[in-house]
Amino acid sequence: KAGVTQTPRYLIKTRGQQVTLSCSPISGHRSVSWYQQTPGQGLQFLFEYFSETQRNKGNFPGRFSGRQFSNSRSEMNVSTLELGDSALYLCASSLELPGLANTEAFFGQGTRLTVV
Amino acid sequence: GENVEQHPSTLSVQEGDSAVIKCTYSDSASNYFPWYKQELGKGPQLIIDIRSNVGEKKDQRIAVTLNKTAKHFSLHITETQPEDSAVYFCAAPSSKLTFGTGTRLQVTL
C-alpha cells in the first residue's frame, strides 16, 4: 500500500511569507503528527491530529498551525516565516494516537523548507 | 512530560563490529519502544520495536533490549555493514511519541 506522502518535497520562501505543507497519511490511518527537524536538534514535536481534532501541541509559537481534514489528510501552516524556520518538516501517520495506543508511526519523506 | 535521552550522539565502528545505542526514558507508563533509522534525504523508517511484555526482540542483525525497572532500552546491531550508516532515533510514547536526540552511526571499511 502507498506510504505517507508529503508535498512539496522542497520549498524556498522569503522571510515574512507564509507556507502550507501537506501530508497524506497511509490509507486507514487516522492520526497524523508533525515534527520539525533541524541539524543537531533531533525531531521536535509540533502537533498531533486525530479524527480532525488537534490532540497535542508542542512548544512552538502560534505562527505554526495545522489542521486535519475528514479524509485524514493534514496540512500545517507557518506564517510570517523567519530564517530559523528553515528545517525538514516531517509528518508521521498511525492508526491511532501513537502516544496513547502504542501503535506504529510511519514517516513521510519530509518537506525541506528553506527561508531566505 | 516524557523525556528521552539517547547516547552516544555519534558512533564510529569498523565494518563487522557491533554497535550499541542506549536510551533512557522518564514516563513509567511507556510500554512501547520503537527505533527508527534515518538515511540521508529520507524520513525516519521504523526498523524494530519492543513492547514492555518482553525483554528482548531480535530481527536478523538487529536486536532491542528493554529494562523497564531501570527505564532504559538499547539497540544492538551486529556484523555492521556500510549500509547501516545512518542516524538512529529511539522513541517512547507518553501523551505523544517523544524521540531521543539521535545517534549518527558511521560504519567504516
Side-chain angles (χ1 to χ4, degrees):
Chain A
K1 57 183 176 183
V4 181
T5 304
Q6 290 189 247
T7 56
R9 289 291 312 278
Y10 304 93
L11 264 180
I12 299 176
K13 289 286 188 178
T14 306
R15 272 181 303 173
Q17 287 186 313
Q18 74 165 14
V19 67
T20 299
L21 312 181
S22 178
C23 173
S24 293
I26 293 170
S27 178
H29 284 196
R30 297 188 293 169
S31 176
V32 173
S33 303
W34 287 89
Y35 293 84
Q36 181 195 64
Q37 186 176 34
T38 53
Q41 291 297 315
L43 294 159
Q44 302 295 312
F45 175 78
L46 280 157
F47 24 66
E48 176 179 74
Y49 287 89
F50 180 81
S51 294
E52 302 179 65
T53 302
Q54 187 179 89
R55 299 303 179 107
N56 222 327
K57 191 176 190 304
N59 296 321
F60 278 82
R63 300 184 297 108
F64 291 81
S65 63
R67 59 179 175 169
Q68 187 179 34
F69 301 96
S70 58
N71 61 357
S72 293
R73 190 179 70 87
S74 177
E75 289 181 347
M76 68 162 281
N77 184 277
V78 188
S79 62
T80 320
L81 284 166
E82 301 176 358
L83 295 178
D85 296 333
S86 295
L88 179 67
Y89 289 88
L90 292 158
C91 85
S93 90
S94 55
L95 278 170
E96 305 288 341
L97 287 169
L100 297 180
N102 300 325
T103 58
E104 296 175 10
F106 299 87
F107 281 88
Q109 297 265 55
T111 294
R112 170 103 25 216
L113 171 65
T114 302
V115 182
V116 297
Chain B
E2 178 70 275
N3 184 42
V4 180
E5 294 187 4
Q6 182 172 346
H7 300 280
S9 57
T10 60
L11 180 59
S12 182
V13 300
Q14 283 199 320
E15 183 179 7
D17 287 350
S18 295
V20 181
I21 303 169
K22 299 181 179 180
C23 286
T24 59
Y25 61 97
S26 58
D27 188 344
S28 57
S30 296
N31 54 19
Y32 170 67
F33 306 92
W35 284 91
Y36 288 82
K37 174 183 180 183
Q38 186 175 25
E39 297 175 325
L40 198 61
K42 297 183 178 181
Q45 181 181 13
L46 179 70
I47 56 172
I48 194 169
D49 55 23
I50 190 169
R51 297 179 191 276
S52 60
N53 56 344
V54 297
E56 182 174 1
K57 183 178 178 180
K58 191 173 182 180
D59 183 3
Q60 300 182 343
R61 294 187 299 106
I62 60 173
V64 56
T65 58
L66 171 65
N67 183 326
K68 280 220 77 179
T69 303
K71 295 184 189 173
H72 66 71
F73 56 112
S74 300
L75 177 70
H76 304 253
I77 306 174
T78 59
E79 301 172 29
T80 53
Q81 301 169 4
E83 53 264 38
D84 295 329
S85 296
V87 179
Y88 292 81
F89 292 95
C90 63
S94 54
S95 58
K96 61 184 186 296
L97 195 60
T98 302
F99 288 85
T101 49
T103 297
R104 182 172 299 278
L105 173 64
Q106 180 70 44
V107 180
T108 57
L109 298 174

